[in-house]
């Protein structure tokens, strides 16, 4: 289910004097099963882009094609989109509302009009997938810890069995352990179930480790698009956008400045280790 | 989300009216409103309208912006006018069932329309030209004498400014939650009222929880900065009357006196007319 955005543009306050273009003529194609990393400093238009992909706001001009269908066409049934594309917002635990975690996870699939049995099955699967402890299924979501709430909220989206999953900083405010668990889960969803992932993160290290392709946004436009190695080779440009390269890459750049002839395209610790060993031998 | 509602939202510009002490504006608006209720004849309204027009010109808020804010009230005004036209007893010009149009009806309808317009514009000028913070400052200072009878004036003013401060935050939060639940397939456009009310639960519950969370965070942050109520608290910008404020009070006095004079003369004339009527009969 490829996503194609066609000259997608979004303007806030189009009629008023203080209008601001949040997304400017973005055309990009996202293939099935890709793990896309989306980076850009605050206010670069990432969230607007994601909301447009999810059909939550209407574009000023241009459109989004999902599976070859224009999702903003008048006769397009948004319900099919909801079933295909899931979006996990920042701090998703703020959207929990039911009396029990299980009921809350059931909310999404129920809205898809599935029968009761299927709804419960999906909710159970999703909670299991996120590593949620059985004992907590019937507890109130408001009694849980931050990390558990986060997982419950993500399960609520996974229970809809989306083919495309969008996550807007899903690890913000989590401890390193919880962070890794969630990112590993997302990676396995991509690898094992072929779900297309679009992940927003401010951690260049996470991007280097998990993403297949990185889109860099700056000032409402996509300015860089490529594999992590390609994108992170544009050190100066990224700096200009208020972004950075992974710390190991920085370390390699400095080694090179010190006269050690290492290649500077290593973006993970593992790659850097190999490269340094190669040079030392 | 509807961010174009301008009824009374502060309009940033620099004008005499903007620079006036908030107390002057509060007292002035109150007096003006009272004057509209005491005198209800067309001559007094003419004076009131002239006074308001002068203020509108002075405050340099574009008229279109001001009128746009009136739009939500339009329906209310229409209702009042229609009811007054059709249901006021008197000398009938036209009749159909219980509906009738009377001379008196048309007269009251016009007067009420003028009164409502003047009322709403005058109130919105106050909030258009005064930031919420200055407004609560003004209120606090005006009601300060009530402290003598143990009314917690400062605390009430603080509550008001916090409440005002939170309106945009909670609106943003509502928007976020609405989008998240929409993405989970929630529908908010059902035709049946009961389902429609039920569909709001997934929005209202998280909104309340977030409001409470923010309130307790704010309380903690305030306490951490040693806030302990109004006692002995000083202001960075204490309110002080300037020459222009005194002058405004003088203008207000002139307005009230001239209005009273016209009101009395008008009352006398109508009394004389009434006596003449009786005598001639």
């Amino acid at each position: 289910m490829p996503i194609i955005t066609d000259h997608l543009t979004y303007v806030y306050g189009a009629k008023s004097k203080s209008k601001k273009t949040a997304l400017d003529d973005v055309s990009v194609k996202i293939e099935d099963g890709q793990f896309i990393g989306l980076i850009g400093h605050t206010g670069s238009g990432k969230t607007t882009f994601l909301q447009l992909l999810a059909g939550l706001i209407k574009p000023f001009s241009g459109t989004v094609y999902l599976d070859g269908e224009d999702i903003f066409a008048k006769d397009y049934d948004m319900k099919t989109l909801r079933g295909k594309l899931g979006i996990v917002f920042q701090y998703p635990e703020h959207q929990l509302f039911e009396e029990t975690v299980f009921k809350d996870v059931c909310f999404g699939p129920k809205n898809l009009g599935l029968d009761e049995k299927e709804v419960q099955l999906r909710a159970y699967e999703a909670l299991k997938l996120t590593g949620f402890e059985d004992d907590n299924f019937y507890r109130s979501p408001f009694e849980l810890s931050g990390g558990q709430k986060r997982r419950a909220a993500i399960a609520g989206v996974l229970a809809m069995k989306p083919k495309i999953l969008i996550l807007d900083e899903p690890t913000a405010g989590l401890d390193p352990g919880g962070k890794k668990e969630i990112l590993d889960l997302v990676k396995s969803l991509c690898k094992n179930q072929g779900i297309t992932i679009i992940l927003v993160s401010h951690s260049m290290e996470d991007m280097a480790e998990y993403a297949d392709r990185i889109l860099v946004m700056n000032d409402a436009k996509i300015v860089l698009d490529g594999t992590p190695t390609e994108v992170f080779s544009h050190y100066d440009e990224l700096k200009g956008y208020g972004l950075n390269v992974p710390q190991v890459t920085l370390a390699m750049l400095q080694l090179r400045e010190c006269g050690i002839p290492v290649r500077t395209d290593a973006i993970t610790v593992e790659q850097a280790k190999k490269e340094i060993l190669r040079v030392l031998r | 989300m509807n961010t174009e509602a301008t009824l009374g939202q502060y309009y940033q510009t620099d004008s005499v009216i903007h620079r006036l002490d908030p107390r002057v504006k509060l007292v002035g608006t109150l007096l003006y409103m009272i004057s509209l209720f005491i005198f209800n004849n067309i001559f007094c309204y003419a004076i009131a309208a002239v006074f308001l027009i002068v203020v509108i010109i002075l405050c340099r808020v574009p008229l279109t912006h001001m009128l746009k804010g009136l739009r939500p009230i339009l329906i209310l005004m229409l209702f009042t006018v229609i009811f007054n036209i059709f249901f006021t007893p008197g000398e009938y010009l036209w009749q159909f069932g219980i509906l009738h149009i009377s001379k008196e009806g048309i007269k009251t309808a016009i007067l009420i329309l003028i009164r409502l317009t003047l009322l709403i514009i005058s109130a919105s000028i106050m909030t258009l030209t005064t930031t919420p913070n200055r407004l609560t400052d003004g209120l606090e200072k005006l009601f300060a004498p009530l402290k003598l009878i143990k009314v917690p004036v400062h605390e009430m003013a603080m509550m008001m400014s916090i409440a005002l401060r939170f309106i945009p935050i909670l609106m943003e939060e509502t928007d976020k939650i609405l989008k998240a639940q929409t993405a989970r397939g929630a529908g908010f456009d059902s035709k049946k009222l009961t389902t429609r009310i039920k569909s709001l639960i997934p929005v209202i519950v998280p909104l309340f929880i977030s409001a409470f969370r923010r309130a307790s965070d704010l309380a903690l942050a305030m306490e951490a900065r040693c806030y302990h109520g109004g006692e002995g608290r000083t202001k960075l910008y204490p309110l002080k009357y300037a020459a222009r404020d005194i002058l405004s009070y003088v203008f207000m006095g002139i307005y009230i006196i001239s209005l009273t004079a016209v009101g009395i003369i008008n009352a006398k004339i109508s009394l004389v007319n009434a006596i003449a009527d009786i005598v001639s009969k």
Side-chain angles (χ1 to χ4, degrees):
Chain A
M1 235 173 287
I3 312 170
I4 299 167
T5 72
D6 178 24
H7 298 284
L8 201 58
T9 301
Y10 189 83
V11 183
Y12 281 106
K15 282 176 208 145
S16 68
K17 265 185 242 157
S18 57
K19 66 174 172 187
K20 187 181 173 290
T21 307
L23 203 65
D24 191 6
D25 198 35
V26 168
S27 300
V28 70
K29 183 174 184 191
I30 294 167
E31 298 288 354
D32 284 359
Q34 273 187 334
F35 193 125
I36 309 272
L38 186 60
I39 55 177
H41 68 88
T42 330
S44 57
K46 300 181 303 266
T47 304
T48 308
F49 181 54
L50 298 183
Q51 288 185 0
L52 281 165
L53 290 184
L56 293 169
I57 46 179
K58 290 227 165 2
F60 180 73
S61 65
T63 193
V64 176
Y65 295 96
L66 178 68
D67 234 355
E69 280 181 287
D70 181 352
I71 66 165
F72 294 110
K74 277 204 178 70
D75 55 347
Y76 186 79
D77 183 13
M78 272 294 168
K79 216 159 206 167
T80 48
L81 176 73
R82 304 279 173 248
K84 285 177 185 171
L85 187 147
I87 178 162
V88 177
F89 281 92
Q90 274 173 32
Y91 299 99
E93 61 272 26
H94 292 175
Q95 288 116 42
L96 298 170
F97 69 98
E98 277 286 11
E99 294 146 50
T100 67
V101 172
F102 194 75
K103 261 188 173 172
D104 203 283
V105 177
C106 286
F107 180 69
K110 213 183 260 170
N111 284 329
L112 292 179
L114 304 167
D115 64 82
E116 193 59 29
K117 223 173 160 184
E118 173 74 13
V119 167
Q120 294 194 359
L121 189 70
R122 280 187 175 199
Y124 182 79
E125 272 178 13
L127 281 167
K128 276 275 151 205
L129 210 60
T130 51
F132 209 80
E133 305 86 353
D134 291 26
D135 306 346
N136 291 336
F137 274 24
Y138 297 102
R139 280 176 67 188
S140 161
F142 305 112
E143 295 170 359
L144 303 173
S145 73
Q148 287 170 321
K149 273 191 211 170
R150 180 77 51 97
R151 265 183 272 165
I154 293 176
V157 176
L158 291 182
M160 298 176 78
K161 294 211 171 159
K163 289 275 156 287
I164 297 155
L165 183 62
I166 297 175
L167 303 108
D168 194 353
E169 285 188 66
T171 58
L174 290 186
D175 55 65
K179 206 169 149 177
K180 194 169 167 2
E181 268 174 37
I182 289 192
L183 289 175
D184 285 343
L185 166 70
V186 172
K187 184 82 199 176
S188 80
L189 286 173
C190 181
K191 241 193 191 139
N192 304 336
Q193 303 189 23
I195 297 178
T196 311
I197 304 283
I198 301 173
L199 177 88
V200 173
S201 173
H202 286 299
S203 161
M204 303 302 142
E205 285 75 26
D206 291 346
M207 285 298 172
E209 192 167 340
Y210 292 98
D212 302 326
R213 175 180 168 196
I214 293 181
L215 301 177
V216 182
M217 286 194 74
N218 185 55
D219 209 8
K221 285 189 173 82
I222 289 184
V223 284
L224 284 174
D225 177 357
T227 63
T229 313
E230 277 165 30
V231 167
F232 288 131
S233 64
H234 296 267
Y235 174 70
D236 292 327
E237 272 171 272
L238 286 171
K239 259 269 142 71
Y241 304 142
L243 299 167
N244 215 329
V245 294
Q247 296 204 346
V248 274
T249 316
L250 271 183
M252 296 302 265
L253 281 165
Q254 284 191 357
L255 281 179
R256 189 169 189 118
E257 256 174 53
C258 296
I260 301 165
V262 286
R263 279 170 42 209
T264 56
D265 60 356
I267 53 171
T268 62
V269 178
E270 203 50 43
Q271 290 170 8
K273 189 179 96 186
K274 269 187 204 152
E275 177 62 18
I276 291 172
L277 286 176
R278 185 188 66 83
V279 172
L280 289 180
R281 275 181 199 133
Chain B
M1 185 105 292
N2 185 12
T3 48
E4 302 210 340
T6 51
L7 180 71
Q9 227 177 64
Y10 180 65
Y11 185 89
Q12 175 103 43
T13 175
D14 188 35
S15 79
V16 193
I17 306 287
H18 278 76
R19 268 175 278 144
L20 280 184
D21 190 287
R23 283 171 291 178
V24 178
K25 285 186 263 189
L26 278 164
V27 171
T29 313
L30 192 69
L31 279 180
Y32 187 80
M33 286 176 150
I34 293 172
S35 78
L36 287 178
F37 277 101
I38 292 178
F39 306 106
N40 54 348
N41 63 72
I42 197 81
F43 301 107
C44 290
Y45 283 165
I47 295 179
V50 169
F51 184 76
L52 194 66
I53 288 167
V54 172
V55 176
I56 290 174
I57 293 167
L58 282 179
C59 77
R60 288 167 69 183
V61 176
L63 196 64
T64 45
H65 185 84
M66 220 177 272
L67 294 178
K68 223 171 21 184
L70 283 181
R71 225 182 281 152
I73 317 280
L74 216 60
I75 296 172
L76 181 81
M77 285 164 87
L78 212 66
F79 260 105
T80 335
V81 167
I82 288 172
F83 270 87
N84 272 293
I85 286 183
F86 287 110
F87 296 104
T88 311
E91 198 179 313
Y92 295 159
L93 299 174
W94 175 86
Q95 207 167 359
F96 181 81
I98 55 158
L99 295 176
H100 48 251
I101 296 178
S102 69
K103 242 186 194 166
E104 285 79 2
I106 294 176
K107 205 180 138 200
T108 31
I110 292 174
L111 283 182
I112 282 188
L113 185 68
I114 296 174
R115 179 193 281 174
L116 272 179
T117 318
L118 294 180
L119 267 179
I120 293 162
I121 293 185
S122 66
S124 63
I125 283 181
M126 179 175 73
T127 46
L128 277 167
T129 59
T130 324
T131 59
N133 269 335
R134 281 186 48 94
L135 214 56
T136 44
D137 269 6
L139 277 175
E140 189 181 343
K141 202 77 189 249
L142 272 181
F143 287 109
L146 289 181
K147 273 184 198 157
L148 290 177
I149 53 166
K150 302 241 155 113
V151 177
V153 177
H154 166 80
E155 281 73 11
M156 281 160 85
M158 179 60 90
M159 271 181 347
M160 205 170 121
S161 54
I162 291 173
L164 287 170
R165 173 73 192 80
F166 266 62
I167 291 173
I169 295 179
L170 289 181
M171 265 171 77
E172 207 174 286
E173 191 89 15
T174 314
D175 184 48
K176 226 182 87 184
I177 296 168
L178 262 174
K179 277 180 183 150
Q181 306 296 30
T182 311
R184 289 171 76 189
F188 301 103
D189 40 10
S190 168
K191 289 233 161 57
K192 242 174 83 188
L193 192 66
T194 45
T195 34
R196 203 156 154 181
I197 291 171
K198 254 193 208 153
S199 74
L200 283 179
I201 293 174
V203 179
I204 287 172
V205 173
L207 189 63
F208 261 78
I209 288 163
S210 112
F212 281 118
R213 189 185 54 240
R214 280 178 194 280
S216 95
D217 284 356
L218 182 68
L220 267 177
M222 283 167 80
E223 273 188 357
R225 284 183 278 170
C226 300
Y227 178 79
H228 59 76
E231 214 177 307
R233 200 173 160 79
T234 53
K235 290 232 181 312
L236 182 57
Y237 303 107
L239 292 178
K240 264 197 210 116
Y241 281 127
R244 56 169 175 269
D245 300 312
I246 310 287
L247 205 63
S248 317
Y249 276 130
V250 172
F251 279 129
M252 250 182 271
I254 294 171
Y255 163 73
I256 297 288
I257 290 167
S258 56
L259 205 63
T260 320
V262 171
I264 289 171
I265 291 167
N266 191 61
K268 271 195 182 148
I269 290 171
S270 50
L271 196 70
V272 169
N273 282 345
I275 292 169
D277 264 11
I278 294 165
V279 170
S280 68
K281 267 177 196 164

